[in-house]
PDB file of all heavy atoms in Angstrom:
ATOM      1  N   MET A1329      31.051 -34.827 -38.534  1.00 96.00           N
ATOM      2  CA  MET A1329      30.061 -35.598 -39.285  1.00 96.00           C
ATOM      3  C   MET A1329      28.823 -34.743 -39.498  1.00 96.00           C
ATOM      4  O   MET A1329      28.364 -34.061 -38.589  1.00 96.00           O
ATOM      5  CB  MET A1329      29.693 -36.878 -38.526  1.00 96.00           C
ATOM      6  CG  MET A1329      28.864 -37.869 -39.315  1.00 96.00           C
ATOM      7  SD  MET A1329      28.735 -39.447 -38.415  1.00 96.00           S
ATOM      8  CE  MET A1329      27.823 -40.443 -39.598  1.00 96.00           C
ATOM      9  N   ASN A1330      28.321 -34.773 -40.718  1.00 96.00           N
ATOM     10  CA  ASN A1330      27.123 -33.999 -41.062  1.00 96.00           C
ATOM     11  C   ASN A1330      25.949 -34.955 -41.204  1.00 96.00           C
ATOM     12  O   ASN A1330      25.861 -35.703 -42.175  1.00 96.00           O
ATOM     13  CB  ASN A1330      27.352 -33.228 -42.366  1.00 96.00           C
ATOM     14  CG  ASN A1330      26.222 -32.265 -42.665  1.00 96.00           C
ATOM     15  OD1 ASN A1330      25.126 -32.360 -42.100  1.00 96.00           O
ATOM     16  ND2 ASN A1330      26.467 -31.324 -43.564  1.00 96.00           N
ATOM     17  N   PHE A1331      25.049 -34.943 -40.244  1.00 97.00           N
ATOM     18  CA  PHE A1331      23.913 -35.853 -40.268  1.00 97.00           C
ATOM     19  C   PHE A1331      22.956 -35.578 -41.432  1.00 97.00           C
ATOM     20  O   PHE A1331      22.195 -36.463 -41.825  1.00 97.00           O
ATOM     21  CB  PHE A1331      23.140 -35.776 -38.953  1.00 97.00           C
ATOM     22  CG  PHE A1331      23.844 -36.406 -37.783  1.00 97.00           C
ATOM     23  CD1 PHE A1331      23.661 -35.909 -36.498  1.00 97.00           C
ATOM     24  CD2 PHE A1331      24.680 -37.491 -37.960  1.00 97.00           C
ATOM     25  CE1 PHE A1331      24.291 -36.498 -35.403  1.00 97.00           C
ATOM     26  CE2 PHE A1331      25.333 -38.085 -36.881  1.00 97.00           C
ATOM     27  CZ  PHE A1331      25.136 -37.584 -35.596  1.00 97.00           C
ATOM     28  N   SER A1332      22.981 -34.378 -41.965  1.00 95.00           N
ATOM     29  CA  SER A1332      22.076 -34.049 -43.074  1.00 95.00           C
ATOM     30  C   SER A1332      22.385 -34.861 -44.317  1.00 95.00           C
ATOM     31  O   SER A1332      21.493 -35.149 -45.119  1.00 95.00           O
ATOM     32  CB  SER A1332      22.164 -32.554 -43.414  1.00 95.00           C
ATOM     33  OG  SER A1332      21.741 -31.762 -42.344  1.00 95.00           O
ATOM     34  N   SER A1333      23.662 -35.225 -44.476  1.00 95.00           N
ATOM     35  CA  SER A1333      24.076 -35.928 -45.694  1.00 95.00           C
ATOM     36  C   SER A1333      24.680 -37.305 -45.424  1.00 95.00           C
ATOM     37  O   SER A1333      25.066 -38.000 -46.365  1.00 95.00           O
ATOM     38  CB  SER A1333      25.091 -35.074 -46.463  1.00 95.00           C
ATOM     39  OG  SER A1333      26.218 -34.783 -45.639  1.00 95.00           O
ATOM     40  N   ALA A1334      24.764 -37.712 -44.157  1.00 95.00           N
ATOM     41  CA  ALA A1334      25.425 -38.977 -43.812  1.00 95.00           C
ATOM     42  C   ALA A1334      24.700 -40.180 -44.404  1.00 95.00           C
ATOM     43  O   ALA A1334      23.475 -40.245 -44.416  1.00 95.00           O
ATOM     44  CB  ALA A1334      25.512 -39.124 -42.300  1.00 95.00           C
ATOM     45  N   ILE A1335      25.482 -41.122 -44.907  1.00 95.00           N
ATOM     46  CA  ILE A1335      24.949 -42.357 -45.474  1.00 95.00           C
ATOM     47  C   ILE A1335      25.326 -43.525 -44.559  1.00 95.00           C
ATOM     48  O   ILE A1335      26.216 -43.393 -43.707  1.00 95.00           O
ATOM     49  CB  ILE A1335      25.487 -42.599 -46.913  1.00 95.00           C
ATOM     50  CG1 ILE A1335      27.027 -42.653 -46.901  1.00 95.00           C
ATOM     51  CG2 ILE A1335      24.989 -41.494 -47.844  1.00 95.00           C
ATOM     52  CD1 ILE A1335      27.626 -42.966 -48.269  1.00 95.00           C
ATOM     53  N   PRO A1336      24.652 -44.673 -44.701  1.00 95.00           N
ATOM     54  CA  PRO A1336      24.897 -45.797 -43.785  1.00 95.00           C
ATOM     55  C   PRO A1336      26.354 -46.184 -43.622  1.00 95.00           C
ATOM     56  O   PRO A1336      26.786 -46.516 -42.503  1.00 95.00           O
ATOM     57  CB  PRO A1336      24.075 -46.931 -44.411  1.00 95.00           C
ATOM     58  CG  PRO A1336      22.940 -46.220 -45.076  1.00 95.00           C
ATOM     59  CD  PRO A1336      23.528 -44.950 -45.617  1.00 95.00           C
ATOM     60  N   THR A1337      27.136 -46.140 -44.683  1.00 96.00           N
ATOM     61  CA  THR A1337      28.542 -46.543 -44.561  1.00 96.00           C
ATOM     62  C   THR A1337      29.327 -45.607 -43.641  1.00 96.00           C
ATOM     63  O   THR A1337      30.300 -46.032 -43.014  1.00 96.00           O
ATOM     64  CB  THR A1337      29.219 -46.592 -45.936  1.00 96.00           C
ATOM     65  OG1 THR A1337      29.019 -45.339 -46.614  1.00 96.00           O
ATOM     66  CG2 THR A1337      28.653 -47.724 -46.776  1.00 96.00           C
ATOM     67  N   GLU A1338      28.913 -44.352 -43.536  1.00 97.00           N
ATOM     68  CA  GLU A1338      29.588 -43.420 -42.625  1.00 97.00           C
ATOM     69  C   GLU A1338      29.342 -43.821 -41.168  1.00 97.00           C
ATOM     70  O   GLU A1338      30.236 -43.708 -40.323  1.00 97.00           O
ATOM     71  CB  GLU A1338      29.124 -41.999 -42.880  1.00 97.00           C
ATOM     72  CG  GLU A1338      29.577 -41.422 -44.213  1.00 97.00           C
ATOM     73  CD  GLU A1338      29.136 -39.978 -44.396  1.00 97.00           C
ATOM     74  OE1 GLU A1338      29.591 -39.110 -43.636  1.00 97.00           O
ATOM     75  OE2 GLU A1338      28.310 -39.735 -45.301  1.00 97.00           O
ATOM     76  N   TYR A1339      28.136 -44.273 -40.874  1.00 97.00           N
ATOM     77  CA  TYR A1339      27.841 -44.741 -39.516  1.00 97.00           C
ATOM     78  C   TYR A1339      28.624 -46.017 -39.212  1.00 97.00           C
ATOM     79  O   TYR A1339      29.122 -46.203 -38.095  1.00 97.00           O
ATOM     80  CB  TYR A1339      26.340 -44.980 -39.355  1.00 97.00           C
ATOM     81  CG  TYR A1339      25.511 -43.724 -39.392  1.00 97.00           C
ATOM     82  CD1 TYR A1339      24.872 -43.320 -40.554  1.00 97.00           C
ATOM     83  CD2 TYR A1339      25.360 -42.931 -38.253  1.00 97.00           C
ATOM     84  CE1 TYR A1339      24.108 -42.158 -40.594  1.00 97.00           C
ATOM     85  CE2 TYR A1339      24.597 -41.770 -38.279  1.00 97.00           C
ATOM     86  CZ  TYR A1339      23.977 -41.393 -39.458  1.00 97.00           C
ATOM     87  OH  TYR A1339      23.224 -40.243 -39.491  1.00 97.00           O
ATOM     88  N   GLU A1340      28.727 -46.883 -40.197  1.00 97.00           N
ATOM     89  CA  GLU A1340      29.494 -48.112 -40.021  1.00 97.00           C
ATOM     90  C   GLU A1340      30.954 -47.796 -39.733  1.00 97.00           C
ATOM     91  O   GLU A1340      31.569 -48.383 -38.830  1.00 97.00           O
ATOM     92  CB  GLU A1340      29.379 -48.979 -41.279  1.00 97.00           C
ATOM     93  CG  GLU A1340      27.978 -49.521 -41.540  1.00 97.00           C
ATOM     94  CD  GLU A1340      27.850 -50.140 -42.920  1.00 97.00           C
ATOM     95  OE1 GLU A1340      28.889 -50.278 -43.606  1.00 97.00           O
ATOM     96  OE2 GLU A1340      26.716 -50.472 -43.324  1.00 97.00           O
ATOM     97  N   GLN A1341      31.517 -46.873 -40.495  1.00 97.00           N
ATOM     98  CA  GLN A1341      32.919 -46.512 -40.319  1.00 97.00           C
ATOM     99  C   GLN A1341      33.148 -45.828 -38.986  1.00 97.00           C
ATOM    100  O   GLN A1341      34.175 -46.038 -38.322  1.00 97.00           O
ATOM    101  CB  GLN A1341      33.377 -45.597 -41.458  1.00 97.00           C
ATOM    102  CG  GLN A1341      34.879 -45.344 -41.481  1.00 97.00           C
ATOM    103  CD  GLN A1341      35.682 -46.631 -41.620  1.00 97.00           C
ATOM    104  OE1 GLN A1341      35.440 -47.438 -42.520  1.00 97.00           O
ATOM    105  NE2 GLN A1341      36.637 -46.834 -40.722  1.00 97.00           N
ATOM    106  N   LEU A1342      32.193 -45.020 -38.557  1.00 97.00           N
ATOM    107  CA  LEU A1342      32.305 -44.357 -37.257  1.00 97.00           C
ATOM    108  C   LEU A1342      32.408 -45.393 -36.136  1.00 97.00           C
ATOM    109  O   LEU A1342      33.243 -45.269 -35.235  1.00 97.00           O
ATOM    110  CB  LEU A1342      31.100 -43.435 -37.036  1.00 97.00           C
ATOM    111  CG  LEU A1342      31.062 -42.623 -35.741  1.00 97.00           C
ATOM    112  CD1 LEU A1342      30.396 -41.276 -35.970  1.00 97.00           C
ATOM    113  CD2 LEU A1342      30.315 -43.372 -34.638  1.00 97.00           C
ATOM    114  N   ALA A1343      31.561 -46.415 -36.197  1.00 97.00           N
ATOM    115  CA  ALA A1343      31.596 -47.468 -35.184  1.00 97.00           C
ATOM    116  C   ALA A1343      32.939 -48.194 -35.196  1.00 97.00           C
ATOM    117  O   ALA A1343      33.507 -48.500 -34.134  1.00 97.00           O
ATOM    118  CB  ALA A1343      30.454 -48.452 -35.415  1.00 97.00           C
ATOM    119  N   LYS A1382      16.179 -36.247 -40.987  1.00 97.00           N
ATOM    120  CA  LYS A1382      17.496 -36.892 -41.050  1.00 97.00           C
ATOM    121  C   LYS A1382      18.319 -36.588 -39.806  1.00 97.00           C
ATOM    122  O   LYS A1382      18.941 -37.479 -39.219  1.00 97.00           O
ATOM    123  CB  LYS A1382      18.245 -36.424 -42.298  1.00 97.00           C
ATOM    124  CG  LYS A1382      17.757 -37.037 -43.597  1.00 97.00           C
ATOM    125  CD  LYS A1382      18.554 -36.483 -44.771  1.00 97.00           C
ATOM    126  CE  LYS A1382      18.068 -37.052 -46.095  1.00 97.00           C
ATOM    127  NZ  LYS A1382      18.812 -36.471 -47.240  1.00 97.00           N
ATOM    128  N   ARG A1386      16.413 -39.737 -37.837  1.00 98.00           N
ATOM    129  CA  ARG A1386      17.151 -40.809 -38.520  1.00 98.00           C
ATOM    130  C   ARG A1386      18.550 -40.979 -37.936  1.00 98.00           C
ATOM    131  O   ARG A1386      18.993 -42.106 -37.671  1.00 98.00           O
ATOM    132  CB  ARG A1386      17.234 -40.521 -40.016  1.00 98.00           C
ATOM    133  CG  ARG A1386      17.875 -41.635 -40.850  1.00 98.00           C
ATOM    134  CD  ARG A1386      17.829 -41.266 -42.335  1.00 98.00           C
ATOM    135  NE  ARG A1386      18.269 -42.359 -43.184  1.00 98.00           N
ATOM    136  CZ  ARG A1386      19.528 -42.542 -43.594  1.00 98.00           C
ATOM    137  NH1 ARG A1386      20.476 -41.699 -43.193  1.00 98.00           N
ATOM    138  NH2 ARG A1386      19.837 -43.558 -44.389  1.00 98.00           N
ATOM    139  N   ALA A1387      19.260 -39.882 -37.720  1.00 98.00           N
ATOM    140  CA  ALA A1387      20.633 -39.970 -37.214  1.00 98.00           C
ATOM    141  C   ALA A1387      20.707 -40.617 -35.831  1.00 98.00           C
ATOM    142  O   ALA A1387      21.541 -41.501 -35.614  1.00 98.00           O
ATOM    143  CB  ALA A1387      21.280 -38.588 -37.211  1.00 98.00           C
ATOM    144  N   MET A1390      20.153 -44.353 -36.444  1.00 98.00           N
ATOM    145  CA  MET A1390      21.262 -45.006 -37.141  1.00 98.00           C
ATOM    146  C   MET A1390      22.495 -45.111 -36.256  1.00 98.00           C
ATOM    147  O   MET A1390      23.176 -46.146 -36.220  1.00 98.00           O
ATOM    148  CB  MET A1390      21.599 -44.223 -38.410  1.00 98.00           C
ATOM    149  CG  MET A1390      20.516 -44.235 -39.480  1.00 98.00           C
ATOM    150  SD  MET A1390      20.471 -45.804 -40.389  1.00 98.00           S
ATOM    151  CE  MET A1390      21.970 -45.680 -41.341  1.00 98.00           C
ATOM    152  N   LEU A1391      22.796 -44.040 -35.547  1.00 98.00           N
ATOM    153  CA  LEU A1391      23.985 -44.026 -34.707  1.00 98.00           C
ATOM    154  C   LEU A1391      23.869 -45.064 -33.592  1.00 98.00           C
ATOM    155  O   LEU A1391      24.809 -45.828 -33.344  1.00 98.00           O
ATOM    156  CB  LEU A1391      24.164 -42.626 -34.119  1.00 98.00           C
ATOM    157  CG  LEU A1391      25.532 -42.255 -33.572  1.00 98.00           C
ATOM    158  CD1 LEU A1391      26.593 -42.361 -34.648  1.00 98.00           C
ATOM    159  CD2 LEU A1391      25.495 -40.853 -32.990  1.00 98.00           C
ATOM    160  N   GLN A1393      21.928 -47.706 -33.512  1.00 98.00           N
ATOM    161  CA  GLN A1393      21.909 -49.046 -34.105  1.00 98.00           C
ATOM    162  C   GLN A1393      23.325 -49.555 -34.385  1.00 98.00           C
ATOM    163  O   GLN A1393      23.667 -50.692 -34.057  1.00 98.00           O
ATOM    164  CB  GLN A1393      21.103 -49.006 -35.408  1.00 98.00           C
ATOM    165  CG  GLN A1393      20.955 -50.355 -36.092  1.00 98.00           C
ATOM    166  CD  GLN A1393      20.319 -50.234 -37.463  1.00 98.00           C
ATOM    167  OE1 GLN A1393      20.829 -49.516 -38.327  1.00 98.00           O
ATOM    168  NE2 GLN A1393      19.198 -50.907 -37.664  1.00 98.00           N
ATOM    169  N   HIS A1394      24.160 -48.710 -34.974  1.00 98.00           N
ATOM    170  CA  HIS A1394      25.499 -49.146 -35.355  1.00 98.00           C
ATOM    171  C   HIS A1394      26.447 -49.247 -34.157  1.00 98.00           C
ATOM    172  O   HIS A1394      27.445 -49.990 -34.226  1.00 98.00           O
ATOM    173  CB  HIS A1394      26.082 -48.204 -36.409  1.00 98.00           C
ATOM    174  CG  HIS A1394      25.541 -48.443 -37.781  1.00 98.00           C
ATOM    175  ND1 HIS A1394      24.380 -47.865 -38.236  1.00 98.00           N
ATOM    176  CD2 HIS A1394      25.992 -49.233 -38.798  1.00 98.00           C
ATOM    177  CE1 HIS A1394      24.138 -48.276 -39.474  1.00 98.00           C
ATOM    178  NE2 HIS A1394      25.086 -49.102 -39.830  1.00 98.00           N
TER     179      HIS A1394
END
Side-chain angles (χ1 to χ4, degrees):
M1329 190 170 184
N1330 188 343
F1331 288 149
S1332 297
S1333 58
I1335 58 177
T1337 53
E1338 291 182 65
Y1339 292 98
E1340 294 169 8
Q1341 189 59 52
L1342 182 147
K1382 285 179 181 178
R1386 185 177 187 268
M1390 294 283 289
L1391 198 59
Q1393 183 188 57
H1394 282 86

